[in-house]
Each structure stands twice: as structure tokens, then as C-alpha cells.
Amino acid sequence: MKVLTTIADFRRAHATLGSASLGFVPTMGFLHDGHLEMIGRARAENDGVAVSIFVNPLQFAPTDDLEAYPRDFERDRSLLEQAGCDLLFHPDVVEIYPDGADLDVTVVPNRIASILEGASRPVHFTGVATVVAKLFNIVQAERAYFGQKDGQQVAVIKRMVRDLDIPVEIVVVPTIREDDGLAMSSRNSYLNAEQRAAAPVVFRALSSASDLFAAGGRHADSLRETMRGVLEAEPLANVDYVSIADNETLEEIIGIIDRDAMASLAVQIGPARLIDNLVLAAHRQPGL
Ligand code: AMP
């Protein structure tokens, strides 16, 4: 595995790799099994694999956890070596933003970034879309891998690729969970024992909606109420939003669910803002 810290070095290493196809997994590091699952998929579907580790300041608001965000580069490096990564891109902030964060040109996703996560974190998706567009231009991969865990991020990136004709295929990888259902996340490390014990309420709430849906429940309001009820029974959970939305546009569904939907939510538990989602497929094939 080659570790590259500059754009020029990455481009040279990519050129000498000689891989017919490159799969790319962008991350912020502090890797867990969710990341490794994506790297495994990228390994299986491409000749070469590139991973980036970059904690992107542009997607954090001043009140967010940029400074506290967990980092362990040496551990990440050895996990990536074992996982069969070929190129590890690990730039510092100045390499990506040589003029500082005050960019003249950014990629601004519109309506899709103003709702759900975007309502609570107004600058977040501009930061995400801008850095992902830059990384796509640097890495020049055939395929890029994103986790369903960040469902709105998937929707924003797919939309960006479509609207800006970026020549990369977006592959979405299912959410990897702990045994008790908690979605793996680098931010889970913020939870103390008591908060960690409360955190599976997130998956229980989503499961209550998907169980109701599987039993034929199609009223979006009832699903939202079910999720909210489960969350509110947990004193440590502060609900930001619960949502039943169109799986592609993420517009909130009013009335009957007649298309693929995403049940999603955000809660604050102690210092951690936890987000998660489940896709509700309107037209399941019989037997699946
Ligand atoms: P992060 O390092 O948290 O920015 O995440 C990098 C990528 O890993 C994103 O595409 C995430 O959606 C994905 N990811 C994070 N957690 C999980 C998980 N538990 N299962 C699957 N993918 C995940």
C-alpha cells in the first residue's frame, strides 16, 4: 500500500498503479467494520482500491465536533494494509484548501440539502459535496463507495453526480451494525457506558416503523408517530427529527406511502448526534 499526502503524488501513484479500474472509498478515518465492508466491496469489484482519510473542516459548523473528531492514523493504516488497499490518500488541510476555508467556488446542493440533516446543519452538505467533488477529481475512480448509514449524503452525492455529469459510478453499501442494532460510527466513541446502553433505541425506533410497514402499514404519519413514541420512551434521547421521505428526493411523504421510502431519524444522546435510517421498499418482490 502506498500512502500519499499530496495531490501530485497521488496522481503519480495512480498512473503507475496500472489498474484497469479503481474503486474509491472516501472516509474521515477512525475506521470500523462499516468502512471495511465498503473496502471489501471495492476490492471485489475493481482492479485497484483507493481510500482517503480526511477530516474535512468545510463540513463542520463552528459548533460541531471538528476538534474532538476521533483520529488514529497508525491503526487505520494497518487496517487498510490488511484490507488490501492499494493507495491511501491522507492529505493535510492545507493541501486540500491552500487558500483556507474561504473558497470562491463551492458545490452547493440546493433543496435536497436544506431538509433533515441540512435543517440542523446548514453548511454540512455544501462542505460534503465540495470535498467529494474535489476528491473525485483527484482520485479519478471508476466507482465510489458510500454507506447507506448516511442516507441523505447518498442522495446528495447521487444528485451531484447526475446534475454535474461526473463520470463515476456510485455504489451504496448496506449499514453495518453492532449486535444490538446500533449502526457503527466513529462518533459512537463519544458515548459513555450509560449512553451506549441507551443508543440501540435508534434502531428499535426504525425497526418499529419497518415492522409496521412490513405488516402493511402505509400511513406515513403512523410510522413517524411510532418512531417518535419509541424514542421518547428513552430519557437520554433528545429527538431532532423523525422522517418518512421519498427515498430519492427525500421529500417528506404526506399520507399514504406509495413509493420507496426512507425512514430516518436524528437524536442527541449525551455528546453524540446519532443518525440512522432504513429503506422501506414499496414494491418488494415476492419471496425476497
Ligand atoms: P465517515 O468516515 O464516517 O465519514 O464515513 C465514510 C463512509 O463510510 C461514508 O460513506 C459512510 O456512509 C460510510 N459508513 C459509515 N458508517 C457506516 C456503517 N455503519 N455501515 C456502512 N457504511 C458506513
Side-chain angles (χ1 to χ4, degrees):
M1 181 176 76
K2 286 189 179 151
V3 181
L4 301 314
T5 57
T6 69
I7 297 168
D9 283 349
F10 183 90
R11 289 196 164 128
R12 263 191 295 274
H14 185 187
T16 53
L17 189 64
S19 291
S21 67
L22 189 66
F24 173 44
V25 183
T27 83
M28 299 205 298
F30 211 67
L31 302 179
H32 52 65
D33 285 353
H35 298 112
L36 297 179
E37 178 78 13
M38 289 195 293
I39 293 158
R41 274 286 293 277
R43 183 74 277 157
E45 296 172 0
N46 302 275
D47 301 310
V49 174
V51 175
S52 62
I53 295 181
F54 180 62
V55 182
N56 174 35
L58 212 60
Q59 70 193 64
F60 289 76
T63 50
D64 284 346
D65 55 345
L66 175 62
E67 295 307 320
Y69 197 84
R71 295 161 167 91
D72 189 344
F73 181 69
E74 282 315 316
R75 179 174 172 275
D76 288 349
R77 180 214 284 260
S78 81
L79 285 172
L80 289 173
E81 193 100 53
Q82 290 162 37
C85 171
D86 298 295
L87 303 176
L88 168 53
F89 185 47
H90 180 53
D92 66 15
V93 173
V94 175
E95 179 69 12
I96 298 298
Y97 301 116
D99 302 322
D102 190 20
L103 302 182
D104 266 337
V105 178
T106 52
V107 179
V108 184
N110 294 314
R111 191 204 50 79
I112 199 166
S114 65
I115 51 181
L116 302 174
E117 285 302 288
S120 301
R121 308 182 70 194
V123 301
H124 178 64
F125 288 114
T126 293
V128 169
T130 301
V131 82
V132 170
K134 283 166 73 73
L135 290 168
F136 283 174
N137 285 333
I138 295 164
V139 175
Q140 304 270 316
E142 271 63 33
R143 293 182 193 84
Y145 293 78
F146 289 86
Q148 178 62 37
K149 157 78 170 51
D150 299 286
Q152 191 172 6
Q153 175 168 280
V154 165
V156 167
I157 299 298
K158 280 186 169 172
R159 201 59 221 211
M160 174 181 86
V161 163
R162 195 167 109 195
D163 286 354
L164 301 184
D165 305 303
I166 301 178
V168 64
E169 180 191 333
I170 303 301
V171 182
V172 182
V173 177
T175 304
I176 304 300
R177 301 178 179 284
E178 306 284 0
D179 289 342
D180 59 10
L182 179 64
M184 292 191 181
S185 165
S186 311
R187 288 190 167 99
N188 292 348
S189 62
Y190 297 158
L191 300 169
N192 67 23
E194 192 192 3
Q195 293 154 351
R196 174 63 187 82
V201 73
V202 169
F203 185 61
R204 280 207 308 281
L206 291 169
S207 301
S208 72
S210 87
D211 290 350
L212 191 55
F213 184 80
R218 289 294 182 274
H219 289 280
D221 274 340
S222 328
L223 269 64
R224 282 186 285 263
E225 277 162 28
T226 303
M227 290 196 286
R228 193 172 280 280
V230 174
L231 292 172
E232 286 178 352
E234 171 48 65
L236 292 187
N238 266 313
V239 183
D240 181 353
Y241 63 81
V242 296
S243 161
I244 301 289
D246 180 293
N247 191 39
E248 205 169 304
T249 65
L250 298 186
E251 258 164 57
E252 214 50 36
I253 297 180
I254 308 298
I256 298 296
I257 305 167
D258 55 358
R259 58 212 127 124
D260 287 355
M262 188 171 86
S264 69
L265 60 83
V267 294
Q268 189 80 29
I269 296 187
R273 188 163 185 285
L274 302 180
I275 60 168
D276 198 352
N277 68 83
L278 286 177
V279 175
L280 310 175
H283 306 292
R284 277 187 209 285
Q285 289 172 24
L288 288 183

